Amino acid sequence: MTPLLEVRGIDKSFGPVQVLHDVAFSAYAGEVTALVGDNGAGKSTLVKCIGGIYPIDGGDIVFDGKPVIVHGPRDAGELGIEIVYQDLALCDNLDIVQNMFLGRERRSGLVLDEDSMEELAAQTLDGLSVRTVKSIRQQVSSLSGGQRQTVAIAKAVLWNSKVVILDEPTAALGVAQTAQVLELVRRLADTGLAVVLISHNMNDVFAVSDRIAALYLGRMAAQVKTADVTHAQVVELITSGRSGDLGIAQ
Amino acid sequence: MNKVKELPGEAIVTATQSPSIANSVHAYIERVRGGDMGALPAVLGLVVLCAVFAIARPAFMTSINVANLFTQGAAVTVIAMGLVFVLLLGEIDLSAGFASGVCAAVLAVTLTNMGLPWYVCVVAAILTGVVIGTVLGTLVAKVGIPSFVVTLAAFLAFQGLVLVLVREGTNISIRDDVVNAVANKNLPVWLGWALYAACVAIYAGLQLFRARKRSARGLVADPLSLIAARVGALAVVAGLLVYVLNLERSRNPALSSLMGVPIVVPVILVLLVIWTFVLRRTAFGRHIYAVGGNTEAARRAGIGVDRIRIAAFVICSSMAAVGGIIAASRASSVDPNTGGSSVLLYAVGAAVIGGTSLFGGKGRVLDAVLGGAVVAVIENGMGLMGYGASVKYLVTGFVLLLAAGVDALARKRAAAAGLR
């Protein structure tokens, strides 16, 4: 099986500090790949390099078998890579449909085509089997944290995206809402998307992921199948970069 | 691979509530309780104020006074309409009052001193507004000076500019019939009724068309009963106003007849429709709300935030120019005080009293009209009661504070409701 998104030998420095060393990472269509690592391990930097926010110093990004160059968020969007950031970037004073189409509104002539946007938004949410919102014309300010996360994810999925990267989607959520969002993450992958889940929470990672990639101090410690490792092994990979015969060679 | 268990539940369609008038009323009450009051305080205030003044001074409800209300409040209302755009971004324009003065002075100078035709002068005045707005908006958006400071500086500078334009304090009278007609003449009685019929018919038609289009697509549409209620309310209120305005209000009808809807009313109506369309039906309007609601989210969505900011200031200053033209027309002259004293504060007050938030992201052009009506009613009614300027200022100040307080409390309440 070839990965949908593959990065090889990524180097990235900020001034004198090298944050990523020769990082390789793969995400497969139809699977959830968890990207784990301690604070400062380089998870967010790696994601921002893939998303085109930071230019990379060296290495290749291969998308769907073809090498690509990502210069900015727009390039990433055109490839079908969408990133849901931790702060979600939703406008509280707009409703769900308006937020999902923000900046990419459908128009007929000069006028906004509200009806077709509403239909498409409803279809997308339906496709994700989201059942918790009362009306998609509800203002986002009236939604709970989990519902907001759902809207942000649906917004990313709306654009025929192929890879969806979620940055700590459950960090600020309660137990029930976390379950709701994880269920959604699983469903995204089941519809054929390549999902990358950045998380600190081992329970979340083991609940939904198919593969785990562990970063340790800017290096990729290991990329393994979730079924092949234990909780403790992953924690070891995160904290010391190796676990038994897995991890960075000493 | 771990499957997360499926939760039972019905699929989401646009809404689970069946649309009916009862549900709509219920949803509205929920919204108000959740802190989204909209125009409710302004409408209630207007009703209460009108009732109090009508009882205390029967002269308040006479045709002549109602017509006065419109011409008195028009300039402030139009300036407030422009201010709504700037307030929606969470910015402020303190210079709008004197910007209207500058534009009125440009109108007077080109019209009276240079003798140019009226349409050239009106265009010149509005273009002056566009230039002012572009400069202010660029300073705020590109240079990054807070709008409070930029427009405070402009507030001072424009006072000087008006003095320069009117040659250190002379009064330039305006003798052009067309310009003077805007705030001083009325529509013929038949045209008032024709306009009324057209407005109600178009409003009803648009509502029905939208509802039909939506239900044809299987989306939730407003029920017929709700549409009927809305159209009925508009028909009754507007009908009463047109009727009162069409009464004879000349003291001596044999000598000269004075009746009909003042020309400023359709002017305000047209501006209201245009800007409401821009805000609610175009991508530009949507982006204004987005920038006011969450600037960072708007930027990440690829919206040109600076461009939107500059555009809002341009709209605000051009509307101030229109307000200045109306003020000049009403006084038939321009002097250094045009657009000065309390005009700006009344305009900001009108927008806020109407329900536009000073925190940005919430507000409609209709708010400016409703708030402008409240301000005009206070000003006019207090005058009829025989109170002097002192009490008028005190009461208007108190009402503004009340409106801003309601806005702040509504925000707190909405935040609390959001956490639920």
Side-chain angles (χ1 to χ4, degrees):
Chain A
M1 189 168 157
T2 54
L4 181 60
L5 173 74
E6 188 178 8
V7 299
R8 286 184 284 224
I10 298 276
D11 290 316
K12 175 68 194 170
S13 308
F14 294 108
V17 185
Q18 189 164 4
V19 182
L20 297 179
H21 305 261
D22 192 25
V23 168
F25 174 74
S26 307
Y28 297 82
E31 295 193 352
V32 178
T33 309
L35 183 58
V36 297
D38 212 342
N39 287 342
K43 305 185 296 285
S44 293
T45 307
L46 176 59
V47 164
K48 284 180 176 161
C49 286
I50 295 170
I53 306 230
Y54 297 150
I56 50 176
D57 298 341
D60 304 301
I61 298 178
V62 180
F63 187 81
D64 213 359
K66 289 181 278 290
V68 290
I69 298 163
V70 182
H71 280 304
R74 198 157 291 223
D75 289 352
E78 269 165 29
L79 286 172
I81 302 173
E82 293 278 342
I83 302 178
V84 180
Y85 292 99
Q86 213 169 343
D87 61 356
L88 304 183
L90 298 173
C91 291
D92 272 358
N93 59 332
L94 299 181
D95 66 32
I96 296 176
V97 182
Q98 291 170 344
N99 263 295
M100 283 174 70
F101 281 87
L102 190 63
R104 308 190 245 196
E105 289 88 359
R106 289 196 163 193
R107 298 172 223 195
S108 55
L110 193 68
V111 189
L112 291 172
D113 190 353
E114 295 284 353
D115 295 349
S116 85
M117 286 196 276
E118 190 170 328
E119 263 179 354
L120 206 63
Q123 273 170 25
T124 306
L125 286 168
D126 250 356
L128 298 174
S129 304
V130 176
R131 308 158 179 125
T132 53
V133 277
K134 199 163 60 184
S135 157
I136 59 171
R137 284 297 179 184
Q138 233 177 316
Q139 281 202 353
V140 166
S141 60
S142 67
L143 300 180
S144 69
Q147 289 172 325
R148 282 159 188 259
Q149 189 74 52
T150 308
V151 172
I153 293 172
K155 182 179 173 183
V157 176
L158 189 60
W159 304 102
N160 282 327
S161 43
K162 299 188 180 105
V163 179
V164 175
I165 303 174
L166 305 162
D167 193 356
E168 302 263 9
T170 60
L173 301 182
V175 176
Q177 294 178 340
T178 298
Q180 208 178 66
V181 169
L182 289 180
E183 189 193 344
L184 177 59
V185 168
R186 184 66 249 166
R187 226 179 283 121
L188 287 183
D190 292 346
T191 58
L193 292 171
V195 181
V196 178
L197 175 74
I198 300 181
S199 185
H200 266 120
N201 186 320
M202 280 309 116
N203 290 330
D204 293 1
V205 168
F206 275 89
V208 293
S209 71
D210 302 292
R211 291 166 193 271
I212 296 175
L215 275 171
Y216 176 72
L217 297 180
R219 293 169 206 277
M220 188 54 75
Q223 296 193 74
V224 291
K225 289 204 165 187
T226 307
D228 298 344
V229 287
T230 63
H231 221 102
Q233 280 178 301
V234 177
V235 173
E236 267 188 290
L237 283 171
I238 291 172
T239 50
S240 61
R242 53 177 298 108
S243 165
D245 52 351
L246 285 171
I248 302 161
Q250 275 172 330
Chain B
M1 179 152 125
N2 307 285
K3 266 276 182 204
V4 179
K5 72 174 188 327
E6 290 280 319
L7 294 169
E10 79 281 19
I12 173 197
V13 205
T14 0
T16 47
Q17 282 183 339
S18 66
S20 79
I21 198 157
N23 274 340
S24 304
V25 170
H26 183 73
Y28 181 74
I29 292 170
E30 283 281 289
R31 273 223 312 278
V32 170
R33 290 176 77 183
D36 181 13
M37 311 259 250
L40 191 64
V43 172
L44 284 182
L46 204 54
V47 170
V48 170
L49 282 170
C50 285
V52 169
F53 287 135
I55 292 166
R57 284 286 179 279
F60 180 78
M61 272 301 175
T62 55
S63 175
I64 187 156
N65 195 51
V66 174
N68 266 344
L69 269 176
F70 280 101
T71 46
Q72 279 172 357
V76 164
T77 301
V78 170
I79 297 172
M81 284 170 147
L83 271 167
V84 165
F85 284 80
V86 170
L87 293 177
L88 273 176
L89 300 183
E91 308 277 357
I92 184 88
D93 184 355
L94 297 175
S95 69
F98 275 110
S100 81
V102 169
C103 299
V106 167
L107 176 85
V109 168
T110 50
L111 198 62
T112 305
N113 296 4
M114 297 184 179
L116 298 173
W118 67 268
Y119 44 88
V120 176
C121 306
V122 166
V123 169
I126 293 176
L127 275 183
T128 309
V130 171
V131 171
I132 290 173
T134 313
V135 172
L136 295 179
T138 309
L139 287 174
V140 171
K142 298 285 185 194
V143 183
I145 314 172
S147 60
F148 180 81
V149 179
V150 170
T151 59
L152 186 62
F155 169 80
L156 292 171
F158 290 165
Q159 294 187 46
L161 199 53
V162 176
L163 281 174
V164 171
L165 285 167
V166 300
R167 307 257 161 75
E168 300 297 331
T170 52
N171 178 319
I172 306 179
S173 61
I174 291 172
R175 291 181 213 96
D176 186 88
D177 286 339
V178 179
V179 172
N180 278 340
V182 173
N184 294 313
K185 289 277 186 293
N186 306 301
L187 298 176
V189 170
W190 66 269
L191 191 55
W193 282 118
L195 207 67
Y196 162 75
C199 283
V200 173
I202 291 173
Y203 181 70
L206 279 178
Q207 293 263 316
L208 283 175
F209 173 72
R210 252 192 90 215
R212 180 146 323 160
K213 210 172 71 172
R214 284 178 64 86
S215 47
R217 284 185 155 218
L219 299 170
V220 175
D222 291 337
L224 267 180
S225 50
L226 184 63
I227 293 175
R230 276 195 204 132
V231 174
L234 176 75
V236 168
V237 173
L240 266 176
L241 277 177
V242 174
Y243 170 75
V244 170
L245 290 170
N246 274 342
L247 293 174
E248 179 63 59
R249 47 181 190 267
S250 168
R251 298 231 168 123
N252 192 346
L255 220 61
S256 66
S257 173
L258 183 65
M259 55 171 123
V261 177
I263 292 177
V264 284
V265 174
V267 170
I268 291 178
L269 212 59
V270 167
L271 291 171
L272 173 67
V273 169
I274 291 176
W275 292 124
T276 302
F277 173 81
V278 167
L279 270 186
R280 302 199 61 86
R281 295 273 171 261
T282 67
F284 171 73
R286 179 70 39 85
H287 294 170
I288 285 194
Y289 282 105
V291 172
N294 186 345
T295 311
E296 189 49 40
R299 188 171 288 125
R300 280 197 218 154
I303 295 169
V305 174
D306 291 353
R307 202 175 51 85
I308 297 281
R309 280 224 173 93
I310 294 172
F313 275 94
V314 168
I315 291 171
C316 180
S317 297
S318 336
M319 287 298 282
V322 177
I325 294 168
I326 293 174
S329 162
R330 182 168 150 72
S332 298
S333 70
V334 173
D335 61 40
N337 249 334
T338 306
S341 63
S342 52
V343 169
L344 166 83
L345 296 178
Y346 276 177
V348 174
V352 174
I353 290 168
T356 299
S357 173
L358 286 167
F359 303 97
K362 187 164 87 67
R364 295 172 307 169
V365 184
L366 181 63
D367 294 345
V369 178
L370 291 171
V374 172
V375 170
V377 164
I378 293 176
E379 169 102 353
N380 176 296
M382 302 293 283
L384 284 181
M385 304 268 285
Y387 292 113
S390 53
V391 182
K392 278 193 213 168
Y393 282 136
L394 279 169
V395 170
T396 316
F398 174 73
V399 171
L400 173 56
L401 201 59
L402 195 70
V406 166
D407 175 30
L409 287 177
R411 256 175 83 85
K412 268 182 136 173
R413 191 151 184 158
L419 288 176
R420 222 177 17 208

